[in-house]
Amino acid sequence: MKALILFGLIGLALTQSIPNSRQTDDCQRVVDIAIIGAGASGAYAAYRLKDSQQVIELVEMSEQVGGRHLTTAFPDSPDIPIELGRTVYAAHHSRVVRLLQELGLGQLPIASGRPIEMKSSYYLRGQFFQEEDIQRGVRLPYNMTQEERDNQGQINRHYLKKLTDWDQDVLPREQILLLKVKDGRYLYELTIDEALSYVASDEGREYFLDYVKTRYAVYRDSSAVLIFANELEYNNESTSFYKVKDGMQSIPKTAVKLFLAASEMNKLTFNRKLEAIQRLSNMTYLLKLKETKTVDGRIRETGLEEFLCAKQVILTLPKDSMDHLQWSELKTDRVTEALDAVRTVPAAVVAMEFDKPFWKEGDDEVARFTDLDITMSYVMGRSEISGKYIVVTSAADGDDVRDLERLNVGEEDGRRGMNISRALSQHILQQIKLVYGVKDESLLQPTSALGKIWTLPPHTGGTTTWRARRNFDDVIAVVQRPSLVDKVYVANSDFAFGNLVWTTEGALEVVDTVLHKYLGVVKP
């Protein structure tokens, strides 16, 4: 009871953060629709509404469009785009395919069944294994049962079949929330640990988790059905992946450019953080905005504030920003429980330039997945302009990313908030040495390094992952319209269905759903 009383007092304090006496005369400007956040979701929402003949303002906390779609390049190697956020999309992501055509953006095929045009190798418990060797049954350093060894190349499918009798190459969306384990519970109700406890030996479990964690973070409370569905899609040889020719950030950038060109009533405002929302008596919403500036990649408040009023509000803020937004409707038990259904996952990407290759011939055709601090490393190629070779590494595990973050202090060698300290650079270099089997005397120092560690607001994670025991559809319905009486909607890709939380497709889908359901916009 004390907890409930305390919770209620906190909600009251937040509701009163904008004095109740404020009225429409406090508005410094009034718009029909305010879209908060100019990442992929916000940019796409603005693009879809560009011809609405309404006054629309797109508000962005930082100084650039893109959010977690962040493309850069080394100054002397501009011909090789480096993705520090979202990297690729799948051929069956129909919304992305359609939007790229509308925006006139080119695509580059990668490879069937893999997100990069390379073979894959895995560094597990200090040893290298080619994927084809794992598939044909080479002995791995795990004391698994014979049945698990016989199925080690398709261990995900093997365990899923034992759990649910599902034995197909893909797990269709309409089946994800219907799968039941043999005790009658839905698979989405189980954590991955609980699911594996039914079907895996201790060493089989460790192998499965080590294998999966080389690509994305898995937590003790991660939804089992999310992990199984994603693994089936990733390992399906019929799944083709693509990258955007000009980089993934060109999607939101081009969408916003067309939004602004469509009408003088469409506006973009940078460096404004939404702090609070209050409904006024005339059903207009008073938005308290704080001015920001970006210094060395960090967004800081200047102390100045302004008030924007809107008849409708579309929030496309990341999950952690939603948690801190002062709006009483987000503090109800119903909504806080829904917001807690996903966990923010810190992530890091580091790219390095080298004058010449230090790896063995053929190693540039292999993507290396590891159980080290860096979960993936691959050679992007040689710049035709600078002649330098570029290696990219990434990490998507909370603890590992925090360790990398602690190293990223001191002398900086980077630019525009993509700074990499010498300590972090040397740590990554030592991991690359292990990954590529390079001797100390053969290991070259990089000529340049840059990267992004996704731990700072507004994006305190590179993505989100669903917790167990949450029905995706039920949570999404609550999050997208927190208040049944307010015209404030949430089109947040962090709450896309299942493993779409990791994709651009998920961002576009939630926007299409919200615009159609609540604003009457016809789906494309």
Side-chain angles (χ1 to χ4, degrees):
M1 178 65 70
K2 289 181 179 179
L4 290 175
I5 293 173
L6 177 60
F7 189 85
L9 291 174
I10 292 173
L12 179 61
L14 291 171
T15 321
Q16 294 179 341
S17 58
I18 302 179
N20 288 330
S21 60
R22 290 195 179 275
Q23 296 296 329
T24 53
D25 56 1
D26 293 302
C27 303
Q28 291 170 269
R29 57 188 183 279
V30 179
V31 299
D32 293 310
I33 301 174
I35 303 172
I36 310 300
S41 297
Y44 181 57
Y47 171 75
R48 290 293 317 280
L49 294 169
K50 63 184 175 64
D51 298 318
S52 67
Q53 297 304 306
Q54 299 182 85
V55 179
I56 301 175
E57 185 165 344
L58 177 61
V59 181
E60 168 57 31
M61 179 177 174
S62 72
E63 61 185 4
Q64 64 179 351
V65 169
R68 284 180 289 220
H69 287 64
L70 181 60
T71 307
T72 188
F74 286 104
D76 56 350
S77 304
D79 55 324
I80 299 187
I82 298 170
E83 302 292 1
L84 299 180
R86 297 285 187 263
T87 56
V88 298
Y89 67 94
H92 63 269
H93 289 167
S94 58
R95 289 178 176 82
V96 177
V97 173
R98 173 190 50 76
L99 181 60
L100 290 175
Q101 293 172 345
E102 291 181 10
L103 301 181
L105 297 175
Q107 62 182 21
L108 297 174
I110 301 179
S112 178
R114 292 294 176 268
I116 43 182
E117 192 176 19
M118 302 173 183
K119 300 176 182 178
S120 297
S121 71
Y122 295 84
Y123 186 79
L124 303 169
R125 290 187 171 176
Q127 299 181 47
F128 279 112
F129 300 94
Q130 298 295 327
E131 180 143 1
E132 55 265 32
D133 292 334
I134 295 176
Q135 295 290 335
R136 64 179 175 81
V138 66
R139 190 168 185 85
L140 300 174
Y142 298 87
N143 189 24
M144 296 185 287
T145 66
Q146 187 58 51
E147 183 183 46
E148 288 169 329
R149 291 192 184 282
D150 292 342
N151 290 278
Q152 66 185 25
Q154 292 290 330
I155 196 69
N156 174 73
R157 183 168 175 172
H158 170 66
Y159 287 152
L160 184 60
K161 180 181 178 181
K162 292 188 70 175
L163 275 166
T164 66
D165 290 329
W166 186 265
D167 189 24
Q168 297 185 31
D169 290 338
V170 295
L171 184 55
R173 176 170 178 160
E174 57 270 18
Q175 288 294 326
I176 285 178
L177 295 177
L178 299 178
L179 281 184
K180 290 185 177 182
V181 297
K182 295 180 179 178
D183 68 1
R185 286 190 292 171
Y186 288 104
L187 185 57
Y188 74 78
E189 296 179 308
L190 273 62
T191 68
I192 190 62
D193 274 353
E194 290 170 334
L196 293 176
S197 71
Y198 283 105
V199 294
S201 68
D202 289 344
E203 283 289 276
R205 172 189 174 281
E206 291 303 308
Y207 164 59
F208 177 87
L209 293 178
D210 286 348
Y211 184 81
V212 169
K213 285 179 179 178
T214 60
R215 291 188 295 282
Y216 47 85
V218 179
Y219 296 91
R220 297 187 67 87
D221 62 353
S222 292
S223 170
V225 75
L226 174 69
I227 305 302
F228 284 117
N230 193 66
E231 282 294 290
L232 281 182
E233 178 177 23
Y234 180 86
N235 286 293
N236 187 351
E237 292 184 359
S238 66
T239 301
S240 297
F241 292 89
Y242 293 83
K243 58 184 179 181
V244 179
K245 184 176 181 181
D246 296 324
M248 293 294 285
Q249 194 175 3
S250 65
I251 297 176
K253 280 187 171 182
T254 306
V256 170
K257 181 180 179 181
L258 294 175
F259 161 73
L260 295 174
S263 171
E264 293 182 353
M265 294 188 290
N266 298 338
K267 182 181 178 182
L268 168 64
T269 301
F270 284 120
N271 296 311
R272 294 295 186 274
K273 173 189 173 183
L274 175 63
E275 183 173 83
I277 300 176
Q278 180 188 327
R279 184 202 321 145
L280 301 178
S281 57
N282 64 348
M283 289 299 291
T284 296
Y285 298 93
L286 183 68
L287 310 183
K288 182 180 180 181
L289 305 176
K290 287 203 168 183
E291 184 183 69
T292 65
K293 64 178 179 179
T294 304
V295 180
D296 294 330
R298 294 176 179 267
I299 299 174
R300 306 180 188 278
E301 296 178 10
T302 66
L304 300 177
E305 62 184 40
E306 64 185 30
F307 292 92
L308 169 67
C309 285
K311 299 174 184 177
Q312 297 184 90
V313 181
I314 300 174
L315 302 174
T316 68
L317 302 171
K319 192 262 183 186
D320 283 353
S321 294
M322 293 285 292
D323 289 339
H324 293 96
L325 178 60
Q326 297 175 14
W327 180 35
S328 59
E329 298 300 331
L330 296 180
K331 312 306 173 184
T332 64
D333 290 346
R334 165 180 167 271
V335 177
T336 54
E337 182 179 351
L339 292 175
D340 190 54
V342 301
R343 173 198 289 271
T344 299
V345 180
V349 182
V350 174
M352 293 181 173
E353 267 190 325
F354 297 89
D355 282 330
K356 58 182 180 179
F358 55 78
W359 46 85
K360 300 173 186 176
E361 185 177 353
D363 279 356
D364 57 342
E365 299 176 357
V366 178
R368 295 176 177 264
F369 298 93
T370 86
D371 57 3
L372 302 172
D373 289 351
I374 58 170
T375 53
M376 184 176 71
S377 178
Y378 62 97
V379 180
M380 286 200 67
R382 181 175 181 270
S383 169
E384 295 294 331
I385 297 174
S386 69
K388 294 181 179 179
Y389 296 82
I390 297 175
V391 176
V392 173
T393 65
S394 64
D397 181 273
D399 293 337
D400 290 341
V401 172
R402 295 296 182 187
D403 290 340
L404 298 179
E405 182 182 36
R406 283 188 282 271
L407 289 169
N408 197 31
V409 295
E411 179 185 357
E412 295 179 339
D413 178 23
R415 64 190 183 92
R416 287 180 27 216
M418 301 171 191
N419 303 315
I420 299 301
S421 70
R422 179 169 177 78
L424 177 56
S425 177
Q426 292 305 303
H427 178 74
I428 296 291
L429 204 58
Q430 290 304 310
Q431 300 241 322
I432 287 175
K433 181 183 76 172
L434 292 174
V435 170
Y436 288 92
V438 180
K439 296 179 180 179
D440 284 334
E441 59 269 20
S442 303
L443 189 63
L444 301 174
Q445 288 293 319
T447 58
S448 301
L450 57 80
K452 177 71 174 178
I453 299 181
W454 296 94
T455 56
L456 296 176
H459 300 100
T460 55
T463 184
T464 56
T465 186
W466 282 91
R467 289 186 163 100
R469 311 190 217 295
R470 274 72 168 188
N471 180 301
F472 305 154
D473 285 335
D474 291 347
V475 169
I476 289 169
V478 173
V479 170
Q480 288 185 351
R481 193 176 189 189
S483 166
L484 299 180
V485 298
D486 288 303
K487 294 182 178 181
V488 179
Y489 314 109
V490 178
N492 184 335
S493 63
D494 285 349
F495 291 88
F497 186 93
N499 60 346
L500 287 178
V501 294
W502 299 323
T503 67
T504 305
E505 181 75 4
L508 306 188
E509 179 181 280
V510 296
V511 170
D512 281 338
T513 300
V514 167
L515 294 185
H516 175 69
K517 191 172 183 179
Y518 300 115
L519 279 75
V521 178
V522 178
K523 288 186 177 181

